[in-house]
Structure formats: C-alpha cells, structure tokens
Amino acid sequence: MANYEIALIESIIHTSELIFCVLSGVRSGANGTYTKVDVKPVLIKTELQYQVTFYEGEKVKHQNFAPDAVIDFLASHVGIYFKQAHLFTKSNDYQILFSKKGKGTVLKKPPSRFVVDLNHNRVKQYLIPEGTPCDFMCELGVMDATGKVFKKKYDKFRQLNKYLEFVDDSLEVLGDDITIVDFGCGKAYLTFALYYYLVKVMNKTVQIVGLDLKEDVIDFCNMTARKLNYEGLHFQLGDIKHYNRDEKVDMVVSLHACDTATDEALGKAVHWGAKVIYAVPCCQHELFNQLKNEEMAPLLEHGIVKDKLATIVTDTLRAKALEAVGYRVQMLEFIDMTHTPKNILIRAIKEPATPTQLNHAYDRFVAFKAAWSVKPRIESVLMPFFRKDREKSE
Ligand SMILES: C[S@@+](CC[C@H](N)C(=O)[O-])C[C@H]1O[C@@H](n2cnc3c(N)ncnc32)[C@H](O)[C@@H]1O
C-alpha cells in the first residue's frame, strides 16, 4: 500500500474516528482463506480496541487488536490481500480501491454511518457481539444464522458474555497453552463459550474437559463439539469426587454444581495447583442445620433468613479456606439463569504467599468457622493443603 493510504488509515485510527471498516475483494493469488474482513472499535472495559472479524465461508472468527496493531493489520492487508477497503468514519466515508497493478485510488464521500458512543456505552459491546453469527451460539439455539439473538435467549446471551468478561480478566495469569476442567458442565453453554472465546477470539491453545453426571448431556455435548470441529474440547461422564488426572490443570471451573459438589471441585483445583478457579456455588444446604451462634440467634429464627445466612457463611468459609492455601479470592456478582436471579462468583487466583500470611488466613478461617459452630466440607477437602507447621495462635 502506498504511503498516502497508510497515512490515511493511521490518522483515522489515531484520532479514533473509525466507526466501521470492511475489506473485500480478495486479490488473485492472495495467500489465505478469508473472503471478507470487517473491523469495528470496541471498548474492552475502559480500553479502546478494534475487533476484527474474519469471514471464511460459513465460519466467522474474531480477534481483538490494540490501535497500533490494527494499523499494522490493515497496512498488511489493504491492497495486498484485499482489493478494496471501505472505511466509515465520523467525518467521511472512504473507499480505497486497488488496480491489478496495485495502484491505489481513494474516494471520499460524506459520512453515512451513525456514531456509536463507546464511552457512554449506548451500545453494549459484548465480547461475543450480536449481529455476527457465532457458530456455537447458532448451534445451541442462542442466535439465528444471521447472528440475531433469539428474544427468549437474551438472558443467556448476556450471561455468557458476562462470564467471558470475568475470564478475560485473568487471561494474563493463564498464558497461551491452557488446560481447563469444567466440573458439572451441564448442557455446557458456558463451556462452549469459554472454548470459543479462548481459541477463536484469543488464539490460545486450549484443552477443556467438561464433566457431568448425566449421560445424555455428555453425549449431546460431545456430538456438538465434534459438529463444530472444536478440537481439544471433550466431555466426560463422572462424579467430581472421583475424577482424577495426572496432567497439569491450569484452570478449574464449577458453575452451579449443587451443594458440596463445589467443595469437591475446589479440592481438586487446589490438589492440581490450578492457577485460576471460577466457582459459582448453588443450593448451599450443608450448614443450614449446623449453624449456631447465641449472639446472632435472631438471624437463625426464620427459615428464609437462616437459609440466606447459611449460603453466605458457606461461601465465606470457602473463600477463607482458599486464602489459607495460597489463593487471592474475590467474590463477584454473577447472573444465574435457573436458581436465583443473582449468585456469587468465587474467583481465586493462585499467588505466592508467605508462611505468616498463610497462617494468618488459616487462623481467620478457623475463627470464623468456630463462631458459627460448623464443620464445613471445605475444611476436610482442603485439610491436606493447610500448612502443617503453623504455630498455634491460642
Ligand atoms: C445447574 S447445572 C449447571 C450447568 C452449567 N455449569 C451451567 O452453569 O450452566 C449443574 C450440573 O452439575 C452436575 N453435577 C452436580 N453434581 C455433580 C457431581 N458431583 N459430579 C459431576 N457433575 C455434577 C449436574 O448433573 C448438572 O448438570
């Protein structure tokens, strides 16, 4: 591409003028399989990025680029791979056309596209956007073949994207070659979303095992993974408690696995030394009949309040126990579809901790447990991993 066209693209990107761009018309002899590419600005949290969508037959792939990287991408594609580019900006539309001999012509017209105000988020920028067909979402009946999300699946669409935003936050910790176990995967919307985002958008190498107790669900998920050609995504029948593997596991996911199944999943994650854990517990019944605390007796008088309290105490104990074995823990709000409108997501990231920090965290766990007179499953599951040489704090 000539200097003039490159300078035009640089100035459009550097001034954040771009609204949308389409590259089309593959040059004969071009080395690649894409037939069209489009580019649009997206706000990933507060950072301006450019989402590039590659079209290859029925398949669509997304990749996010920083501003300088998208300039490089456009400079290496416009006029080299594609014969034309349409750039819709806030002030003008530009059409860049290349002749067979590679000579570029730029046509300038008044602007024809609306400005999407990214800063005020008038249009929510999802990591998997609506309007672009996404293979697993089409297959699982979340969107149609044109990329339009079905009305009754909009909550699911939002939940999938919210989950991916949480995952995106810990990508740096995970590196480029990631092994994941998803316990209690169910029909696996979230597992497919995780695979799609990591492999197709973020270009990671990923192995994911989804585990569940239900045979029909496992068969359905394996069939769907094969149909989508999702290499590295497998589903297995089994109980979390009895699942074992010798290879490394970088990330453990357990979303809405009932009652103490979450504790079993956390125990496996800690045993493998997983770098990242995502758990959304549900149906926390274990402590309901154990809770005792004289000073807090009013909180235990009414079943409905006691039930909520049992949930909070259970998840707080899980968080404290994870801290005592070397994880930094956050409790975040997650949208749940089936049980309650909202749930807690426990995100735990393995971090180096000194013996003093681990001892202190363990003491806090023990004190909190004693305050409620409970024996939670998480304690026995993580017992082998608590520090053995801790000093007695009494
Ligand atoms: C409510 S579904 C959640 C599915 C999916 N993770 C999600 O969040 O959409 C819970 C799943 O956990 C599975 N499950 C519960 N206990 C389990 C256990 N001990 N081992 C394996 N799977 C279990 C159930 O069979 C069910 O499919």
Short mmCIF file of all heavy atoms in Angstrom, two decimals, residues 156 184-186 190 211-214 238-240 255-258 261 338-339, ligand 1:
data_model
loop_
_atom_site.label_atom_id
_atom_site.label_comp_id
_atom_site.label_asym_id
_atom_site.label_seq_id
_atom_site.Cartn_x
_atom_site.Cartn_y
_atom_site.Cartn_z
N LYS A 156 -29.50 -15.54 28.45
CA LYS A 156 -28.39 -16.50 28.31
C LYS A 156 -27.21 -15.82 27.58
O LYS A 156 -26.06 -15.94 27.99
CB LYS A 156 -28.90 -17.73 27.53
CG LYS A 156 -27.95 -18.88 27.36
CD LYS A 156 -27.28 -19.31 28.64
CE LYS A 156 -27.73 -20.52 29.31
NZ LYS A 156 -27.02 -20.82 30.56
N GLY A 184 -19.30 -30.23 36.45
CA GLY A 184 -20.75 -30.00 36.44
C GLY A 184 -21.14 -29.11 35.28
O GLY A 184 -21.85 -28.13 35.45
N CYS A 185 -20.63 -29.47 34.08
CA CYS A 185 -20.78 -28.58 32.92
C CYS A 185 -22.21 -28.49 32.42
O CYS A 185 -22.57 -27.53 31.73
CB CYS A 185 -19.86 -29.04 31.79
SG CYS A 185 -20.22 -30.72 31.23
N GLY A 186 -23.05 -29.49 32.75
CA GLY A 186 -24.43 -29.47 32.26
C GLY A 186 -24.47 -29.42 30.75
O GLY A 186 -23.62 -29.99 30.07
N LEU A 190 -21.76 -22.50 28.79
CA LEU A 190 -20.62 -21.71 29.28
C LEU A 190 -19.30 -22.36 28.89
O LEU A 190 -18.30 -21.67 28.66
CB LEU A 190 -20.73 -21.55 30.80
CG LEU A 190 -21.92 -20.68 31.23
CD1 LEU A 190 -22.42 -21.05 32.62
CD2 LEU A 190 -21.57 -19.20 31.21
N LEU A 211 -17.10 -32.17 32.73
CA LEU A 211 -17.52 -33.39 33.45
C LEU A 211 -18.94 -33.22 33.97
O LEU A 211 -19.29 -32.16 34.48
CB LEU A 211 -16.57 -33.62 34.63
CG LEU A 211 -16.72 -34.98 35.32
CD1 LEU A 211 -15.83 -36.02 34.63
CD2 LEU A 211 -16.37 -34.91 36.80
N ASP A 212 -19.72 -34.26 33.84
CA ASP A 212 -21.07 -34.19 34.40
C ASP A 212 -21.58 -35.60 34.72
O ASP A 212 -21.09 -36.59 34.16
CB ASP A 212 -22.05 -33.48 33.44
CG ASP A 212 -23.23 -32.87 34.19
OD1 ASP A 212 -24.15 -33.62 34.56
OD2 ASP A 212 -23.21 -31.63 34.42
N LEU A 213 -22.59 -35.64 35.58
CA LEU A 213 -23.17 -36.93 36.00
C LEU A 213 -24.17 -37.46 34.97
O LEU A 213 -24.54 -38.63 35.03
CB LEU A 213 -23.93 -36.74 37.31
CG LEU A 213 -23.12 -36.45 38.58
CD1 LEU A 213 -24.06 -36.06 39.71
CD2 LEU A 213 -22.32 -37.68 38.96
N LYS A 214 -24.60 -36.61 34.05
CA LYS A 214 -25.71 -37.01 33.16
C LYS A 214 -25.21 -37.48 31.80
O LYS A 214 -24.61 -36.70 31.05
CB LYS A 214 -26.67 -35.83 32.97
CG LYS A 214 -27.33 -35.39 34.25
CD LYS A 214 -28.24 -34.20 33.96
CE LYS A 214 -28.70 -33.55 35.24
NZ LYS A 214 -28.94 -32.13 35.09
N GLY A 238 -18.99 -38.54 34.74
CA GLY A 238 -18.33 -38.88 36.00
C GLY A 238 -18.72 -37.95 37.12
O GLY A 238 -19.35 -36.92 36.91
N ASP A 239 -18.33 -38.35 38.32
CA ASP A 239 -18.60 -37.59 39.53
C ASP A 239 -17.34 -36.80 39.89
O ASP A 239 -16.24 -37.36 39.86
CB ASP A 239 -18.95 -38.57 40.67
CG ASP A 239 -19.48 -37.85 41.90
OD1 ASP A 239 -18.96 -36.76 42.21
OD2 ASP A 239 -20.41 -38.38 42.53
N ILE A 240 -17.50 -35.56 40.23
CA ILE A 240 -16.35 -34.70 40.56
C ILE A 240 -15.45 -35.38 41.58
O ILE A 240 -14.22 -35.41 41.43
CB ILE A 240 -16.84 -33.34 41.14
CG1 ILE A 240 -17.75 -32.63 40.15
CG2 ILE A 240 -15.66 -32.48 41.55
CD1 ILE A 240 -18.51 -31.44 40.72
N LEU A 255 -19.57 -24.27 37.84
CA LEU A 255 -20.65 -23.28 37.82
C LEU A 255 -21.98 -23.94 38.14
O LEU A 255 -22.45 -24.79 37.38
CB LEU A 255 -20.70 -22.60 36.45
CG LEU A 255 -19.38 -21.96 35.99
CD1 LEU A 255 -19.48 -21.43 34.57
CD2 LEU A 255 -18.94 -20.85 36.94
N HIS A 256 -22.53 -23.59 39.26
CA HIS A 256 -23.85 -24.07 39.70
C HIS A 256 -23.88 -25.57 39.98
O HIS A 256 -24.91 -26.21 39.74
CB HIS A 256 -24.93 -23.69 38.67
CG HIS A 256 -24.86 -22.27 38.24
ND1 HIS A 256 -24.58 -21.89 36.95
CD2 HIS A 256 -25.01 -21.13 38.94
CE1 HIS A 256 -24.58 -20.57 36.87
NE2 HIS A 256 -24.83 -20.08 38.07
N ALA A 257 -22.76 -26.12 40.42
CA ALA A 257 -22.78 -27.52 40.86
C ALA A 257 -23.34 -27.51 42.29
O ALA A 257 -22.90 -26.73 43.13
CB ALA A 257 -21.38 -28.11 40.84
N CYS A 258 -24.32 -28.37 42.54
CA CYS A 258 -25.11 -28.21 43.77
C CYS A 258 -24.37 -28.56 45.05
O CYS A 258 -23.54 -29.47 45.08
CB CYS A 258 -26.36 -29.07 43.68
SG CYS A 258 -27.41 -28.52 42.36
N ALA A 261 -20.85 -30.29 46.03
CA ALA A 261 -20.11 -30.61 44.80
C ALA A 261 -19.10 -29.49 44.52
O ALA A 261 -18.00 -29.74 44.01
CB ALA A 261 -21.08 -30.76 43.63
N THR A 338 -31.03 -20.17 36.46
CA THR A 338 -32.03 -21.17 36.83
C THR A 338 -32.46 -21.15 38.29
O THR A 338 -33.57 -21.54 38.60
CB THR A 338 -31.47 -22.58 36.55
OG1 THR A 338 -30.14 -22.62 37.05
CG2 THR A 338 -31.50 -22.89 35.07
N HIS A 339 -31.60 -20.69 39.17
CA HIS A 339 -31.90 -20.87 40.59
C HIS A 339 -32.39 -19.57 41.24
O HIS A 339 -33.53 -19.48 41.66
CB HIS A 339 -30.69 -21.42 41.32
CG HIS A 339 -30.23 -22.71 40.72
ND1 HIS A 339 -30.78 -23.90 41.08
CD2 HIS A 339 -29.34 -22.97 39.76
CE1 HIS A 339 -30.22 -24.86 40.35
NE2 HIS A 339 -29.34 -24.31 39.55
C1 LIG B 1 -27.34 -26.41 37.35
S1 LIG B 1 -26.35 -27.38 36.28
C2 LIG B 1 -25.16 -26.20 35.76
C3 LIG B 1 -24.63 -26.41 34.38
C4 LIG B 1 -23.59 -25.41 33.93
N1 LIG B 1 -22.36 -25.50 34.68
C5 LIG B 1 -24.13 -24.00 33.99
O1 LIG B 1 -23.76 -23.26 34.91
O2 LIG B 1 -24.93 -23.61 33.13
C6 LIG B 1 -25.44 -28.35 37.43
C7 LIG B 1 -24.81 -29.55 36.79
O3 LIG B 1 -23.89 -30.10 37.72
C8 LIG B 1 -23.93 -31.51 37.59
N2 LIG B 1 -23.40 -32.08 38.84
C9 LIG B 1 -23.89 -31.92 40.10
N3 LIG B 1 -23.15 -32.64 40.97
C10 LIG B 1 -22.16 -33.22 40.27
C11 LIG B 1 -21.09 -34.09 40.60
N4 LIG B 1 -20.89 -34.46 41.85
N5 LIG B 1 -20.27 -34.51 39.62
C12 LIG B 1 -20.46 -34.11 38.32
N6 LIG B 1 -21.48 -33.29 37.95
C13 LIG B 1 -22.32 -32.87 38.90
C14 LIG B 1 -25.41 -31.80 37.35
O4 LIG B 1 -25.59 -33.04 36.70
C15 LIG B 1 -25.81 -30.62 36.46
O5 LIG B 1 -25.75 -30.93 35.10
#
